[in-house]
Amino acid sequence: MAFLDDDLSPLVWQDGALRLLDQRALPVEERWLTLTTHEEVATAIRDLTVRGAPAIGCAAAYGVALGARQVEAGSTTTLETVYATLQATRPTAVNLFWALRRMRAVPGQTSAALVEEARAIQREDIAACRRMGALGAPLVPPGGVLTHCNTGALATGGYGTALGVLRTLQAMGRAPQVFCDETRPVLQGARLTAWELLRSGIDATLITDGMGAHLMARGEIGSVLVGADRIAANGDVANKIGTYAVALAAAAHGLPFFVVAPWSTVDLATIDGAQIPIEERAAEEVTHLQGQRVAPAGIRVRNPAFDITPARLVAAIVTDRGVARAPFGPSLAALR
Ligand code: MRU
């Protein structure tokens, strides 16, 4: 499917089905899948066909709509099962639970009404990204920008969070030089962010995860921009594993570390980062690269998919409702 960069979205509702850009296949292949059941959507969220906190929320919403169609068509499944199946896919990105709560509040729970709500969630997410772009761009100081994982159109309904800020800077004629790190173990940075930055014409350089601190020490990086999977009430931030190390390196070099996330990622019911559930994923993501074994069979493996960056390392949290700063508790509460 062809699309303009500006219109890139990993999810398209078309002819009563959800079309998903298969993010496992990027950057080698642009493969679109057509999903017609909530079970397929649940699998797609779990196996990272669709990933990134806001995009997971959008996908789950469409999954509910597909589930309602299955129920209306006489399937033995119930709406309760549909919600429970989608809810059990991934534990850390709070956008998933936020979107399911919003879908549950739709009067009547008819598939027609649920499709409309899912479309509204995606539309509003794109608008939120654009707003964050406008709010975040003026904060970025001169110099290179380091980003981690993928926070672009692929991770959202469209446009992107931290990458959205870079796109806004580009539109303002101020596009910085961007360093994207690989983001082991699943390589969202190398496979997805590098692909998106190239497509949008932003000056981008790929580095391995261990190179960021070195480039900071050499003065090649002036700030860090990342997204988030859940932001606790005190400003602690859960994001892709490796984010904490990047934040520590930024603090050691006196560089601002910005978090860009829509309000649907803010979880004021969770007091601090210690309360955020961290997903542990399969050992094969660490022992294998693209299906190829890179570690000896039998080695013990840990694979936490996210880590917590303490609020004290965060310069500002850019949301679509405004910019929060330390002390984050009252600052986030004021944006509620
Ligand atoms: O495991 P993933 O790829 O879903 O993790 C994604 C991230 O950690 C992103 O940085 C985060 O969701 C922000 S996306 C705008």
Side-chain angles (χ1 to χ4, degrees), residues 25-63:
L26 288 172
V28 177
E29 191 189 341
E30 291 180 34
R31 177 200 301 155
W32 285 83
L33 307 175
T34 302
L35 278 49
T36 55
T37 68
H38 75 279
E39 292 97 336
E40 288 171 337
V41 175
T43 301
I45 294 172
R46 217 175 291 114
D47 70 13
L48 309 185
T49 299
V50 60
R51 35 65 49 203
I56 290 170
C58 294
Y62 285 120

Side-chain angles (χ1 to χ4, degrees), residues 51-54 90 149-151 155-156 161 188 227-229 239-240 306:
R51 35 65 49 203
R90 296 191 73 187
C149 195
N150 172 264
T151 63
T156 59
T161 58
Q188 289 94 333
D229 285 78
N239 192 48
K240 179 53 54 192
F306 300 96

Side-chain angles (χ1 to χ4, degrees), residues 211-221 253:
M211 294 177 185
H214 172 68
L215 296 182
M216 289 176 188
R218 293 178 67 111
E220 294 187 48
I221 291 171
H253 293 91

Side-chain angles (χ1 to χ4, degrees), residues 112-129:
L114 291 166
V115 168
E116 278 322 302
E117 188 69 357
R119 296 182 79 144
I121 286 174
Q122 183 174 9
R123 244 188 347 261
E124 289 168 26
D125 186 56
I126 297 169
C129 285

Side-chain angles (χ1 to χ4, degrees), residues 77-170:
T77 196
T78 64
L79 263 184
E80 264 323 299
T81 309
V82 168
Y83 279 107
T85 304
L86 291 162
Q87 182 143 345
T89 49
R90 296 191 73 187
T92 305
V94 78
N95 309 61
L96 169 69
F97 309 101
W98 171 88
L100 292 176
R101 256 200 324 276
R102 197 167 143 172
M103 294 301 279
R104 268 188 197 276
V106 172
Q109 294 286 286
T110 62
S111 65
L114 291 166
V115 168
E116 278 322 302
E117 188 69 357
R119 296 182 79 144
I121 286 174
Q122 183 174 9
R123 244 188 347 261
E124 289 168 26
D125 186 56
I126 297 169
C129 285
R130 289 185 178 274
R131 174 101 184 108
M132 290 185 286
L135 290 171
L139 305 181
V140 181
V145 172
L146 173 62
T147 189
H148 184 67
C149 195
N150 172 264
T151 63
L154 291 171
T156 59
Y159 199 72
T161 58
L163 246 55
V165 171
L166 297 175
R167 291 176 69 174
T168 304
L169 282 169
Q170 182 191 33

